[in-house]
Amino acid sequence: MLPRGRPRALGAAALLLLLLLLGFLLFGGDLGCKRRKRGGRAGAPGCFPGPLMPRVPPDGRLRRAAALDGDPGAGPGDHNRSDCGPPPPRPSKCELLHVAIVCAGHNSSRDVITLVKSMLFYRKNPLHLHLVTDAVARNILEMLFHTWMVPAVRVSFYNADELKSQVSWIPNKHYSGLYGLMKLVLPSALPAELAHVIVLDTDVTFASDISELWALFAHFSDTQAIGLVENQSDWYLGNLWKNHRPWPALGRGFNTGVILLRLDRLRQAGWEQMWRLTARRELLTLPATSLADQDIFNAVIKEHPGLVQPLPCVWNVQLSDHTLAERCYSAASDLKVIHWNSPKKLQVKNKHVEFFRNFYLTFLEYDGNLLRRELFGCPSQPPPGAEQLQQALAQLDEEDPCFEFRQQQLTVHRVHVTFLPHEPPPPRPHDVTLVAQLSMDRLQMLEALCRHWPGPMSLALYMTDAEAQQFLRFIEASPVLAARQDVAYHVVYREGPLYPVNQLRNVALAQALTPYVFLSDIDFLPAYSLYDYLRASIEQLGLGSQRKAALVVPAFETLRYHFSFPHSKVELLALLDVGALYTFRYHEWPRGHAPTDYARWREAQAPYRVQWAADYEPYVVVPRDCPRYDPRFVGFGWNKVAHIVELDAQEYELLVLPEAFTIHLPHAPSLDISRFRSSPTYRDCLQALKDEFHQDLSRHHGAAALKYLPALQQPQSPARD
């Protein structure tokens, strides 16, 4: 949902200004460009004296390559000079800027989101993102951008697997693998009508409006087609160690973390043949690329220096272990793009790393909901579904006592599926995924759950951007959780006052990959043997196409925070008999699980059928394509009950399994439960949702829905927990 105000955005902006001020103090007030007596403007973009960016002649004009093969009169450092004159004109307010990024895998997808946040924070122009992705990254990013609904942002995807054959013949030692070579094929991979594009690595962070970078295309001569910042290390000078032999480069060479590409000129110049011939020739004497596409770009530029337009160093401040970037940023008026171009990323050794790290973390933890802002005065095609959403929101009455419920139902939450690396389970005909949802205050349940359930899990987590990073650190610090690659975590970003419990369940359910799902809650621990028992039961009962059923897993609870978990039904019954366990909600809400018929379960040796009854809400195993949860039920109350009603309306058998059980562990009540108990208005709104649910049920199922009417009209007890 688009935010109504921007107080948090202003707070984040103030934080950024504070960080820049700290940087100014850190560098001794020397972030400004030295004012020169002969006309150079202090602070002018492109004015960066020092060894990495030598001063240019007083008239501020760039030297241009006279031809494709370079200007024979140019000195050895001239390719690094930049303009200290007036900055090039910005693109028009509504000009569409094109950005290409290669992204593969789960971790790289998270990096892309931080990069995009930094771009969106400063941008004033519409953006078209061209994302070259593998199947994993596409699944993640397609869902994320679809649910993010950022105005004036278009996203196009290109299949990286279809491009692999064009670069797979190149040996590459770089940690980026094949994907680190794919920028070489962008001129042929991107649409033929696309003439200009900014190409970015996933590990860069913007500190300025990207339109300023786009404006540097105006500096290109008629023959220049590639804009790059000089490499800020001695790598390409060679002799860093014995037998160190880098690829050929012009001087220090150039870094390809930030590239301006004139695609039209590269195509006309025969780029594909050019880089292939150069790479094949160099690979006759060199075993592999060390820096992926960067080595090949530099080798081509060495042979054809007229192709390159050097860019000011601040557009790619490189933070590797042996970086010379301080020569750039200590003399610059401001920084534009920070590039974490070391495998160590934020752990890189740099005396100013804390300043840069804090700047990066600002965007890493920044609330992405605040970036759903319009570009005023610049009409653009709204994101899919945005117009209908705004119309629905406009029809809400803020004086309605149930306004919060109505608004929460319409909220479109950003969804980041498979937030962490995940290995899909091998296909098995009767496999079961445990599906649940949780928030930050239930993270402590995850380790115990992983010990009890050895099978795949799909978990939706309701968190802020900052909490998602805490969750990431929590997983990394746990040997139990870090070892489980079959648990898929899906972050649903928090927005609104009520807990969207059924929306979360639907996210986790939609991402399950096995034929069957166990619909559970995070505060339950299943029997140690339940995973194997469920798979065997599914096979024995002939579920699926042969039989439409929901398998009921009887639920129990303990009021003790420490107790010995039973390993069998016999042990559980013993604990039940001595009062260490109870049937679930026996004291507060017996109607919720009474139809399970626990007295019959004690003696049962085979599955038995039970009938639906009012307020029944068991935990069940169903096919993955079962009905989804009704998203109108937010906060506390009737969220599972409504789902069981729908299953019954669609004629699912309810079969209780005789050896299955799951146990609820005690915890503090949630905020929504507290509001339900204390607020008559809250309970009245829940009743209104139940009435609307029955109206929809009647539309879908006709007269068959009449059986549920008495249950829907029963008042909800405030004592329920």
Side-chain angles (χ1 to χ4, degrees), residues 268-328:
Q268 292 168 6
W271 169 253
E272 184 172 355
Q273 183 181 16
M274 189 184 301
W275 74 259
R276 285 176 177 274
L277 288 174
T278 301
R280 290 188 189 281
R281 183 180 65 246
E282 297 302 327
L283 286 170
L284 294 174
T285 56
L286 291 165
T289 59
S290 296
L291 301 180
D293 66 271
Q294 182 170 302
D295 285 339
I296 298 175
F297 268 100
N298 274 289
V300 172
I301 290 169
K302 173 77 170 179
E303 188 174 353
H304 305 286
L307 280 176
V308 69
Q309 164 62 49
L311 303 180
C313 65
V314 289
W315 285 107
N316 186 350
V317 176
Q318 302 148 40
L319 299 178
S320 57
D321 275 339
H322 304 290
T323 183
L324 303 175
E326 186 179 355
R327 301 179 185 178
C328 172

Side-chain angles (χ1 to χ4, degrees), residues 15 43 75 80 84 89 114 122 220 260 355 387 428 490 500 530 549 555 569 576 608 627 641:
L15 178 59
N80 198 32
C84 282
T114 306
Y122 294 104
F220 281 40
L260 300 185
F355 168 78
E387 286 183 315
R428 299 189 186 102
H490 317 292
L530 186 61
K569 180 177 179 177
L576 200 64
Y608 58 92
V641 175

Side-chain angles (χ1 to χ4, degrees), residues 27 41 56 268 334 349 369 417 453 472 483 617 640 696:
F27 301 133
R41 279 198 310 123
V56 298
Q268 292 168 6
D334 56 1
K349 295 177 182 177
N369 298 327
V417 297
W453 182 268
L472 178 61
E617 51 177 0
K640 290 197 301 294
D696 290 341

Side-chain angles (χ1 to χ4, degrees), residues 420-434:
L420 297 176
H422 172 246
E423 289 293 332
R428 299 189 186 102
H430 309 109
D431 208 359
V432 184
T433 295
L434 187 149

Side-chain angles (χ1 to χ4, degrees), residues 296-557:
I296 298 175
F297 268 100
N298 274 289
V300 172
I301 290 169
K302 173 77 170 179
E303 188 174 353
H304 305 286
L307 280 176
V308 69
Q309 164 62 49
L311 303 180
C313 65
V314 289
W315 285 107
N316 186 350
V317 176
Q318 302 148 40
L319 299 178
S320 57
D321 275 339
H322 304 290
T323 183
L324 303 175
E326 186 179 355
R327 301 179 185 178
C328 172
Y329 60 71
S330 64
S333 59
D334 56 1
L335 305 181
K336 304 293 187 180
V337 174
I338 298 166
H339 184 190
W340 301 89
N341 64 318
S342 164
K344 299 177 182 177
K345 302 306 177 188
L346 270 64
Q347 276 66 53
V348 69
K349 295 177 182 177
N350 182 296
K351 66 181 179 180
H352 300 131
V353 70
E354 196 64 25
F355 168 78
F356 294 110
R357 186 184 294 130
N358 287 338
F359 185 86
Y360 173 82
L361 292 176
T362 300
F363 289 112
L364 183 70
E365 301 185 355
Y366 186 80
D367 185 351
N369 298 327
L370 301 178
L371 297 168
R372 291 166 162 166
R373 54 181 181 238
E374 299 282 348
L375 295 180
F376 292 110
C378 189
S380 62
Q381 184 72 26
E387 286 183 315
Q388 297 90 328
L389 176 62
Q390 289 295 350
Q391 290 170 5
L393 288 169
Q395 293 173 3
L396 296 182
D397 179 7
E398 294 192 25
E399 301 303 318
D400 181 355
C402 301
F403 173 76
E404 281 188 348
F405 286 83
R406 311 291 184 197
Q407 186 184 49
Q408 192 74 57
Q409 292 168 37
L410 293 173
T411 299
V412 177
H413 296 272
R414 279 182 300 138
V415 178
H416 185 148
V417 297
T418 52
F419 188 75
L420 297 176
H422 172 246
E423 289 293 332
R428 299 189 186 102
H430 309 109
D431 208 359
V432 184
T433 295
L434 187 149
V435 170
Q437 44 71 38
L438 67 151
S439 54
M440 196 71 181
D441 59 348
R442 298 288 189 268
L443 285 186
Q444 72 277 6
M445 293 295 302
L446 291 177
E447 285 195 353
L449 183 58
C450 282
R451 292 188 178 100
H452 279 251
W453 182 268
M457 288 188 270
S458 180
L459 306 177
L461 302 97
Y462 193 51
M463 297 177 167
T464 65
D465 294 71
E467 287 174 341
Q469 298 308 311
Q470 295 176 41
F471 161 70
L472 178 61
R473 294 190 289 271
F474 178 84
I475 296 293
E476 291 173 343
S478 166
V480 173
L481 300 178
R484 290 293 298 270
Q485 295 291 300
D486 57 351
V487 180
Y489 300 100
H490 317 292
V491 174
V492 178
Y493 288 101
R494 186 190 299 171
E495 185 175 5
L498 297 169
Y499 190 77
V501 56
N502 278 358
Q503 295 181 43
L504 296 173
R505 286 176 171 140
N506 285 340
V507 168
L509 180 54
Q511 296 301 317
L513 301 176
T514 57
Y516 298 91
V517 289
F518 173 34
L519 304 178
S520 184
D521 276 336
I522 197 65
D523 43 10
F524 279 82
L525 289 181
Y528 286 108
S529 60
L530 186 61
Y531 174 59
D532 291 333
Y533 176 62
L534 290 179
R535 291 187 298 162
S537 298
I538 290 168
E539 183 175 13
Q540 291 167 7
L541 293 168
L543 299 191
S545 59
Q546 301 177 38
R547 192 173 188 182
K548 193 176 181 181
L551 306 183
V552 175
V553 177
F556 299 84
E557 69 176 333

Side-chain angles (χ1 to χ4, degrees), residues 608-683:
Y608 58 92
R609 185 171 182 177
V610 296
Q611 298 299 317
W612 174 86
D615 297 314
Y616 193 29
E617 51 177 0
Y619 293 96
V620 296
V621 178
V622 287
R624 182 179 59 189
D625 61 356
C626 69
R628 291 323 190 228
Y629 288 88
D630 192 314
R632 87 184 78 210
F633 292 102
V634 296
F636 178 79
W638 244 70
N639 43 74
K640 290 197 301 294
V641 175
H643 189 243
I644 297 300
V645 167
E646 184 63 44
L647 290 177
D648 186 68
Q650 294 193 24
E651 300 181 340
Y652 277 73
E653 290 183 82
L654 295 171
L655 298 175
V656 181
L657 296 176
E659 299 296 325
F661 62 87
T662 186
I663 300 177
H664 178 266
L665 301 185
H667 57 76
S670 68
L671 176 62
D672 283 306
I673 292 177
S674 300
R675 291 182 65 186
F676 173 85
R677 288 171 170 172
S678 63
S679 171
T681 300
Y682 193 105
R683 296 193 292 274

